């Protein structure tokens, strides 16, 4: 069973069609890089899957649970709130600008959801959080507040926070584009380690070298449609698609 | 005035500090939570609810508090004799003695609470609306419920943001309690006026002023302490 299956997803903002008939699948252990020019709908796609934006049509199925589908009369309907919540628990999301809770320590940021949502005992949640922070190289920052950390450290905390709910799949929306270039390395390294440990991930990124190195599947989007998808070797090295070539050539020059 | 007389005035005013603090304390106690509710109603997605709440806020902030106190206080004797009021309510109202201290206090508290709740509501609304959307989205994607999101994530940040503006309101409130004397509620200002006439001296008024000044000072100190306490994050 696929972790995520999206079929014919569409979404418009007013008269602007941002997603047109998007279909793709995420299998367990896959690391998918989503690339494409600015405004191509990458964020919107992630936000629709994470229920932060309402899709207009199509179907989304997460771990066998239908989040969005056509009903008998052909209307696209969402599942009931209980299932939607269940689905959110299976999906983690890492934001471009972290969205840490500023009034909580790093440790509390990570333990809050396990304690409140999963009803995990406090000591268990804390040892889990410390373990995750350790993996992120932040064990000594547990008692700091977000404002005391660099952007790269904050982003790693937000990754730990998402992982604390033990999601089936983790989504990243340009996790390094709010960071100074010298800080992106630490974050990318952490994501690479997660990939090596078979974490299922979907990563929207402008870091082509990273996508090529970490992803085992690449999706190229432009104008709200998936133009091309396949292995990194195929998309980056061997594409015959003119638009993909054009897009990649801009990165290769820079 | 002799020193002894001044001492007597201070003693009387100290005694009437209690009713002043009652108006202050109860108004705060009721208007802060009510202000929170009003702020949420004001932001309600059901349009008529938000409009009605805006109208209430507009009226409360657009008319003098003194007038509001007078209206609430004299509403009772008028409604008591009005044929338009249902008999049951009229019976209830006719049992009220409007010269009783407890009724005066109640009327003042109703007017003060409704008025201050409107001011607090606008402060709280500003605070709530200043919290970035990303905070809600992060909580949502962590599967937190709406209630958890509000009380655990949003409210603590709102509190920090509204403390400076609320401090202003609270300090204004301690001085506004003097408006209670328009319905002859015996508090510091009313007593100071009586003493002024008794001794034909402005001194009692200055002493009353000193009382208010001291209370404002204490509040200022308390709030700067709270602000410092909340300064553990940015
Ligand atoms: N809330 C919104 N209301 C209206 N239009 C929106 C909204 N969000 C996104 N759009 C529009 O949808 C289109 C796709 O935006 P989206 O953010 O998904 O692109 P993106 O591929 O993530 O771009 P980038 O690489 O710059 O992040 C853009 O034209 C954008 O202006
Ligand atoms: Mg984007």
């Amino acid at each position: 069973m696929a972790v995520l299956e999206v079929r014919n997803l569409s979404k418009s903002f007013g008269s602007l069609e941002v997603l047109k008939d998007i279909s793709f699948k995420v299998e367990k252990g896959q690391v998918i890089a989503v690339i494409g020019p600015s405004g191509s709908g990458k964020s919107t796609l992630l936000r629709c899957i994470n229920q932060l934006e309402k899709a207009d049509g199509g179907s989304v199925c997460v771990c066998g649970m239908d989040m969005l589908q056509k009903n008998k009369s052909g209307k696209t309907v969402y599942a009931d709130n209980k299932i939607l919540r269940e689905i959110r628990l299976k999906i983690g999301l890492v934001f471009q600008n972290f969205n840490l809770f500023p009034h909580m320590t790093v440790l509390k940021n990570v333990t809050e959801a396990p304690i409140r949502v999963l009803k995990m005992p406090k000591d268990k949640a804390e040892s889990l959080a410390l373990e995750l922070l350790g993996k992120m190289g932040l064990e000594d920052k547990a008692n700091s507040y977000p404002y005391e950390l660099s952007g790269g450290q904050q982003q790693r905390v937000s990754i730990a926070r998402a992982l604390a709910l033990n999601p089936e799949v983790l989504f990243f929306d340009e996790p390094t584009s709010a960071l100074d270039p010298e800080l992106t390395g630490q974050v990318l390294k952490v994501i690479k380690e997660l990939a090596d440990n078979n974490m299922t991930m979907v990563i929207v990124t402008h870091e082509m070298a990273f996508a090529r190195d970490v992803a085992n599947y690449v999706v190229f989007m432009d104008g709200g449609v998936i133009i091309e998808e396949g292995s990194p070797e195929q998309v980056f090295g061997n594409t015959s698609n003119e638009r993909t070539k054009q897009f990649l050539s801009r990165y290769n020059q820079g | 005035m002799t020193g002894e007389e001044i001492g007597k005035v201070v003693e009387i005013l100290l005694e009437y500090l209690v009713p002043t603090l009652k108006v202050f304390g109860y108004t705060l106690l009721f208007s802060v939570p009510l202000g929170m509710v009003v702020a949420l109603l004001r932001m309600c997605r059901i349009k008529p609810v938000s409009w009605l709440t805006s109208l209430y806020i507009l009226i409360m902030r657009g008319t003098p508090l003194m007038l509001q106190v007078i209206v609430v206080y004299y509403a009772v004797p008028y409604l008591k004799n009005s044929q338009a009021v249902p008999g049951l309510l009229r019976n209830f109202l006719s049992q009220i003695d409007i010269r009783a201290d407890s009724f005066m206090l109640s009327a003042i508290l109703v007017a003060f609470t409704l008025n201050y709740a409107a001011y607090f509501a606008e402060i709280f609304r500003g605070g709530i609306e200043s919290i970035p959307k990303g905070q809600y989205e992060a909580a949502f994607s962590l599967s937190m419920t709406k209630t958890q999101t509000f009380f655990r994530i949003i409210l603590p940040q709102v509190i920090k943001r509204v403390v400076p503006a609320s401090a202003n309101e609270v300090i204004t409130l301690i001085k506004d309690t003097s408006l209670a004397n328009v319905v002859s509620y015996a508090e510091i200002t009313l007593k100071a006026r009586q003493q002024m006439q008794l001794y034909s001296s402005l001194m009692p008024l200055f002493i009353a002023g000193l009382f208010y000044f001291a209370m404002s000072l204490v509040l200022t100190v308390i709030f700067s302490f709270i602000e410092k306490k909340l300064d553990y994050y940015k």
Side-chain angles (χ1 to χ4, degrees):
Chain A
M1 180 181 62
V3 175
L4 170 73
E5 191 162 357
V6 176
R7 281 214 204 110
N8 312 107
L9 193 72
S10 62
K11 165 79 186 168
S12 300
F13 288 111
S15 61
L16 179 69
E17 254 189 294
V18 179
L19 298 177
K20 305 166 192 161
D21 205 30
I22 298 269
S23 302
F24 74 105
K25 239 185 186 180
V26 183
E27 301 287 351
K28 203 161 176 48
Q30 239 182 351
V31 178
I32 299 187
V34 180
I35 58 171
S38 185
S40 56
K42 306 178 300 292
S43 296
T44 307
L45 175 62
L46 247 59
R47 290 174 61 82
C48 283
I49 295 168
N50 284 278
Q51 304 172 32
L52 293 170
E53 216 69 75
K54 228 174 151 132
D56 301 329
S59 69
V60 176
C61 180
V62 179
C63 303
M65 291 179 283
D66 287 310
M67 172 178 131
L68 177 72
Q69 60 180 342
K70 268 198 169 62
N71 68 5
K72 286 194 193 88
S73 54
K75 247 185 88 189
T76 303
V77 288
Y78 274 86
D80 64 46
N81 285 331
K82 197 165 160 272
I83 292 175
L84 289 180
R85 200 170 125 88
E86 199 69 28
I87 288 173
R88 285 202 295 282
L89 270 176
K90 302 277 182 205
I91 312 183
L93 178 60
V94 174
F95 297 85
Q96 185 173 345
N97 50 359
F98 336 131
N99 291 335
L100 291 178
F101 304 131
H103 58 300
M104 294 179 174
T105 62
V106 164
L107 187 70
K108 285 224 93 193
N109 262 279
V110 181
T111 59
E112 182 67 10
I115 292 173
R116 305 281 153 187
V117 177
L118 303 180
K119 312 289 176 205
M120 196 185 277
K122 194 168 170 232
D123 51 345
K124 205 170 151 226
E126 283 181 353
S127 60
L128 168 70
L130 288 172
E131 186 196 319
L132 287 170
L133 289 171
K135 282 188 185 153
M136 301 292 135
L138 292 170
E139 51 279 89
D140 54 330
K141 297 291 182 193
N143 293 316
S144 303
Y145 283 89
Y147 81 93
E148 298 169 308
L149 306 183
S150 73
Q153 292 170 330
Q154 290 190 43
Q155 190 58 297
R156 282 179 284 154
V157 174
S158 91
I159 295 173
R161 180 176 71 173
L163 287 172
L165 288 174
N166 195 22
E168 289 293 323
V169 51
L170 196 51
F171 287 82
F172 295 80
D173 191 359
E174 302 192 26
T176 58
S177 60
L179 304 176
D180 293 337
E182 65 267 28
L183 298 178
T184 60
Q186 332 160 316
V187 173
L188 297 180
K189 182 170 154 268
V190 160
I191 299 175
K192 173 108 175 79
E193 279 164 14
L194 290 174
D196 293 342
N197 287 311
N198 293 320
M199 181 75 209
T200 312
M201 293 185 283
V202 177
I203 308 164
V204 172
T205 184
H206 286 292
E207 305 269 346
M208 295 304 147
F210 171 72
R212 189 174 195 152
D213 180 27
V214 171
N216 44 36
Y217 200 75
V218 177
V219 171
F220 171 60
M221 271 180 82
D222 194 4
V225 289
I226 294 178
I227 303 284
E228 189 175 2
E229 56 188 307
S231 67
E233 293 76 28
Q234 188 199 321
V235 175
F236 287 113
N238 218 351
T239 183
S240 54
N241 187 298
E242 273 314 308
R243 273 156 89 181
T244 315
K245 272 186 191 162
Q246 210 185 6
F247 173 73
L248 290 174
S249 69
R250 264 183 282 148
Y251 279 92
N252 294 338
Q253 281 160 13
Chain B
M1 283 177 76
T2 65
E4 198 182 329
E5 285 167 344
I6 289 176
K8 254 194 204 146
V9 171
V10 168
E11 216 169 277
I12 289 172
L13 291 189
L14 262 180
E15 187 185 327
Y16 284 89
L17 189 61
V18 176
T20 289
L21 288 176
K22 261 190 197 163
V23 174
F24 174 78
Y26 283 122
T27 300
L28 263 192
L29 188 68
F30 299 136
S31 65
V32 169
L34 182 63
M36 200 58 183
V37 173
V38 173
L40 294 175
L41 289 177
R42 171 77 177 73
M43 292 185 295
C44 180
R45 246 171 278 152
I46 306 162
K47 283 289 162 227
V49 174
S50 128
W51 287 335
L52 277 177
T53 316
S54 303
L55 184 67
Y56 155 73
I57 293 173
L58 212 60
I59 292 171
M60 285 298 148
R61 302 209 307 170
T63 57
L65 176 55
M66 189 190 282
L67 197 67
Q68 292 164 12
V69 173
I70 296 170
V71 167
V72 173
Y73 183 78
Y74 287 104
V76 171
Y78 277 99
L79 293 179
K80 225 187 318 205
N81 300 322
S82 161
Q83 292 306 313
V85 175
L88 208 67
L89 183 60
R90 244 185 307 156
N91 275 344
F92 170 73
L93 291 174
S94 64
Q95 291 165 13
I96 293 175
D97 169 15
I98 74 159
R99 308 248 41 101
D101 250 14
S102 63
F103 171 69
M104 282 183 203
L105 181 62
S106 312
I108 290 161
L109 286 181
V110 168
F112 269 64
T113 300
L114 290 177
N115 179 283
Y116 270 82
Y119 282 92
F120 280 126
E122 285 298 272
I123 293 175
F124 296 162
R125 181 172 69 97
I128 293 173
E129 285 178 347
S130 75
I131 304 297
K133 205 172 94 209
Q135 293 290 303
Y136 292 92
E137 293 186 345
F140 177 80
S141 82
L142 291 170
S143 302
M144 293 176 73
T145 63
K146 285 205 166 119
T147 318
Q148 287 170 341
T149 304
F150 183 72
F151 285 103
R152 304 282 311 166
I153 308 299
I154 306 303
L155 192 59
Q157 297 183 58
V158 169
I159 289 174
K160 178 180 163 99
R161 290 179 193 216
V162 301
V163 161
S166 304
N168 279 337
E169 285 306 317
V170 173
I171 290 166
T172 306
L173 173 60
I174 195 70
K175 291 171 291 179
D176 273 355
T177 56
S178 66
L179 293 175
N181 90 83
V182 299
V183 292
S184 310
Y185 180 66
E187 42 68 71
I188 293 182
T189 301
L190 185 110
K191 282 289 152 188
R193 243 170 57 187
Q194 288 174 354
Q195 301 297 306
M196 167 190 82
Q197 278 152 0
L198 187 66
Y199 293 104
S200 305
S201 159
L202 286 180
M203 193 47 108
L205 297 185
F206 288 127
I207 298 171
L210 223 58
F211 271 57
Y212 288 110
F213 185 78
M215 288 189 286
S216 303
L217 208 61
V218 170
L219 288 171
T220 307
V221 170
I222 290 175
F223 273 104
S224 62
F225 175 76
I226 293 175
E227 270 181 55
K228 218 174 258 146
K229 268 266 171 205
L230 288 172
D231 220 23
Y232 64 89
Y233 74 92
K234 289 193 175 73

